[in-house]
Amino acid sequence: MRVTASGLVLAGLLAAVSACTAAEPQADAHASAPATTATTAERAASAGPGAEAGAPALTIEQAQAALIGESDLGVPWTATDGTATWHDGLLKAATGQPDCQRLLEALYTDELLGAPAGPRAATALDDGDDAAQLRYQVDASHSADVDRTLAWLRALPRTCARFTAQTTAAGTEAVQVADAGLRDLGDARQGLRITLTAQPSAAADPTTLTLDVAVVRVGDDAIVLTAGALGTLPDDATTQALDIGVRRLSQVREQGRAQA
């Protein structure tokens, strides 16, 4: 992975990781994840409330076909070389506020929707110029489950607008959560802009991670996107990925109905 100077600073922080705190989240779910993964959990027999009438369940092959790739975003995005240096350093953290802790754990494990109700496909892309990483997944889910997650995300700019958390590698960090103002995409959506700023010591410069988080429901399925960078995120990466991804998932769903 190409890494900027700020990425090297955080890599140094990781080398000094101390013993985990008692409230530390679960172990890293991405440490050895390949660039593209898929989960084959069984989809529930009933389509559930809000499902499109007669819509077939998304298969794992269709979920994989609905993913975006490096060619969609263009230079400098490439297939990932592995977990971003900032992942453990700033997302592995604990706070005393339950809703905010749930958010931190969901970001760390990349499980904003929880365990998949059906097939899941995921991929990750790196922008080495900006020490950025974009994680993108397509979940076959149930509309009611996705809508519950969306309602929780919509509340976070109020319940977790500003809080502090204790990391295992970078000391105390200040976290801010704001509505990302997603435009009209899919059938329902919510986006967040999250900034996490840590200063390991008084003599050290602060390190800021900026995250864009988005969940978009398309019929009974969902797109989950997390894009993060040290400092400023690449312009329009989140919007471009979602624009392409929603169209692609809609096309895959239409093809599935035609073949049913």
Side-chain angles (χ1 to χ4, degrees):
M1 181 189 302
R2 293 165 292 169
V3 183
T4 59
S6 55
L8 291 173
V9 170
L10 190 52
L13 292 175
L14 295 177
V17 174
S18 60
C20 297
T21 62
E24 174 184 318
Q26 296 299 312
D28 186 1
H30 304 311
S32 58
T36 301
T37 60
T39 303
T40 56
E42 290 294 324
R43 187 177 178 85
S46 169
E52 295 180 16
L58 200 71
T59 67
I60 196 157
E61 292 78 15
Q62 290 169 330
Q64 289 173 323
L67 292 173
I68 64 168
E70 55 191 291
S71 61
D72 294 312
L73 299 186
V75 177
W77 292 98
T78 61
T80 189
D81 286 334
T83 303
T85 56
W86 41 257
H87 183 268
D88 278 10
L90 293 172
L91 295 184
K92 195 173 188 178
T95 183
Q97 302 178 52
D99 244 14
C100 308
Q101 183 64 43
R102 177 185 171 189
L103 173 63
L104 290 173
E105 292 178 359
L107 293 173
Y108 182 74
T109 60
D110 201 27
E111 290 284 358
L112 281 166
L113 289 178
R120 166 184 290 175
T123 191
L125 301 172
D126 291 341
D127 170 358
D129 291 352
D130 297 293
Q133 186 169 91
L134 183 149
R135 296 190 61 83
Y136 185 95
Q137 68 188 42
V138 175
D139 279 35
S141 191
H142 299 307
S143 59
D145 294 337
V146 179
D147 287 345
R148 278 191 289 272
T149 296
L150 291 173
W152 169 62
L153 292 174
R154 290 186 191 109
L156 289 176
R158 298 189 304 274
T159 60
C160 295
R162 293 175 181 270
F163 66 96
T164 59
Q166 186 67 36
T167 73
T168 59
T172 301
E173 64 185 5
V175 185
Q176 297 183 41
V177 180
D179 190 295
L182 288 185
R183 59 186 186 79
D184 197 11
L185 290 164
D187 297 310
R189 82 289 313 158
Q190 179 60 40
L192 300 174
R193 169 61 64 91
I194 304 170
T195 57
L196 307 93
T197 302
Q199 189 164 8
S201 68
D205 291 332
T207 299
T208 297
L209 171 65
T210 304
L211 286 175
D212 273 353
V213 177
V215 175
V216 178
R217 180 169 64 77
V218 180
D220 212 30
D221 306 312
I223 292 168
V224 180
L225 179 149
T226 303
L230 296 173
T232 304
L233 277 168
D235 289 342
D236 300 326
T238 299
T239 300
Q240 185 179 355
L242 291 175
D243 278 343
I244 295 169
V246 168
R247 289 198 302 270
R248 190 162 294 165
L249 179 55
S250 297
Q251 291 168 355
V252 167
R253 289 171 57 82
E254 285 295 330
Q255 292 167 358
R257 278 192 291 268
Q259 295 167 2

